[in-house]
Amino acid sequence: MKMNSPWARFYSNSCCLCCHVRTGTILLGVWYLIINSVVLLILLSALTDPDQYHLTSVELGGEFEFMDDANMCIATAISLLMILICAMATYGAYKQHAAWIIPFFCYQIFDFALNTLVAISVLVYPNTIQDYLRQLPANFPYKEEIMSVNPTCLVVIILLFISIILAFKGYLISCVWNCYRYINGRNNSDVLVYITTNDTAVLLPPYDDHLNAAAKEPPPPYVSA
């Protein structure tokens, strides 16, 4: 009897829009690559011209600076790292190198864990939402309308919004994981196992390698004596 893993029921080769998980991972990597590239361009332009993106404490309604030089350098380094991770995932899915997808998958798990902690903090400490709203600048859009909402309804709305985001992120994680399993399984299937009559296993080389080895050097021409 064949035993299947309990996680095998979640494995699928197709993802959103009925495309293959490999295609979906490539599109997801390109999308993240574009977003982080735009963020990097904004950060670099802010570093070259700080006055363009400088907000005073009066505009922010607090006694702090918005994105000083240290924070800008940290954000720039994070953007560069994200671009590298997204490029590795895109290249790994395109060239079918499963190991290149692992850093992007770990980033997705980390991002999902952070959003889960935010949802738990909102559920355990619902009063922090009102405290956060009071700390916003006076000219923040729709601040008064949001604060006028019933606190319980506001918590429910925020939890529902975070739950939708978590469900979407979980689906993207499953797509990338299925792509990793597909590429890893396809690479492992290149080596065939031949069981001989005396119960010994012999590893057979891939079919393509056999063709390349056969066509590597033609036999010498026949010369009559």
Side-chain angles (χ1 to χ4, degrees):
M1 184 174 63
K2 184 178 181 181
M3 300 295 294
N4 292 328
S5 173
W7 299 102
R9 68 185 67 178
F10 301 104
Y11 177 71
S12 176
N13 287 338
S14 61
C15 59
C16 53
L17 299 179
C18 298
C19 63
H20 198 272
V21 289
R22 181 166 164 258
T23 305
T25 304
I26 294 174
L27 294 177
L28 184 62
V30 171
W31 172 249
Y32 273 87
L33 192 63
I34 293 174
I35 292 178
N36 288 280
S37 299
V38 172
V39 172
L40 181 62
L41 290 176
I42 295 175
L43 292 174
L44 291 178
S45 61
L47 285 175
T48 55
D49 189 9
D51 296 332
Q52 183 179 358
Y53 296 91
H54 179 72
L55 295 177
T56 62
S57 59
V58 177
E59 295 174 343
L60 294 172
E63 299 294 333
F64 57 91
E65 292 291 334
F66 177 74
M67 295 299 289
D68 54 3
D69 293 339
N71 293 331
M72 294 288 286
C73 293
I74 295 174
T76 303
I78 294 175
S79 297
L80 288 173
L81 180 61
M82 285 302 306
I83 289 175
L84 178 61
I85 292 175
C86 297
M88 289 176 60
T90 305
Y91 178 81
Y94 180 73
K95 292 294 186 179
Q96 300 189 21
H97 298 309
W100 291 63
I101 306 177
I102 295 178
F104 185 73
F105 178 75
C106 294
Y107 157 73
Q108 286 184 302
I109 296 296
F110 179 74
D111 182 58
F112 185 85
L114 285 181
N115 285 272
T116 305
L117 291 177
V118 171
I120 294 175
S121 64
V122 171
L123 184 62
V124 176
Y125 304 104
N127 295 328
T128 56
I129 299 177
Q130 296 294 332
D131 297 336
Y132 175 76
L133 292 175
R134 294 189 189 98
Q135 295 176 2
L136 292 176
N139 57 352
F140 189 83
Y142 304 106
K143 177 183 177 180
E144 299 297 332
E145 290 79 0
I146 297 176
M147 293 188 65
S148 62
V149 179
N150 188 11
T152 304
C153 295
L154 185 61
V155 170
V156 172
I157 293 173
I158 293 177
L159 286 177
L160 181 62
F161 180 72
I162 296 177
S163 300
I164 294 174
I165 293 177
L166 287 176
F168 181 70
K169 288 181 179 293
Y171 181 75
L172 295 180
I173 290 174
S174 66
C175 292
V176 175
W177 174 247
N178 289 335
C179 178
Y180 171 81
R181 290 187 59 184
Y182 168 78
I183 295 176
N184 197 28
R186 183 170 182 176
N187 293 337
N188 291 336
S189 64
D190 288 341
V191 178
L192 303 179
V193 179
Y194 175 69
I195 307 298
T196 60
T197 55
N198 56 352
D199 295 335
T200 58
V202 179
L203 296 179
L204 300 180
Y207 181 70
D208 295 337
D209 295 346
H210 174 71
L211 292 179
N212 294 333
K216 189 175 296 183
E217 184 178 355
Y222 175 77
V223 179
S224 60

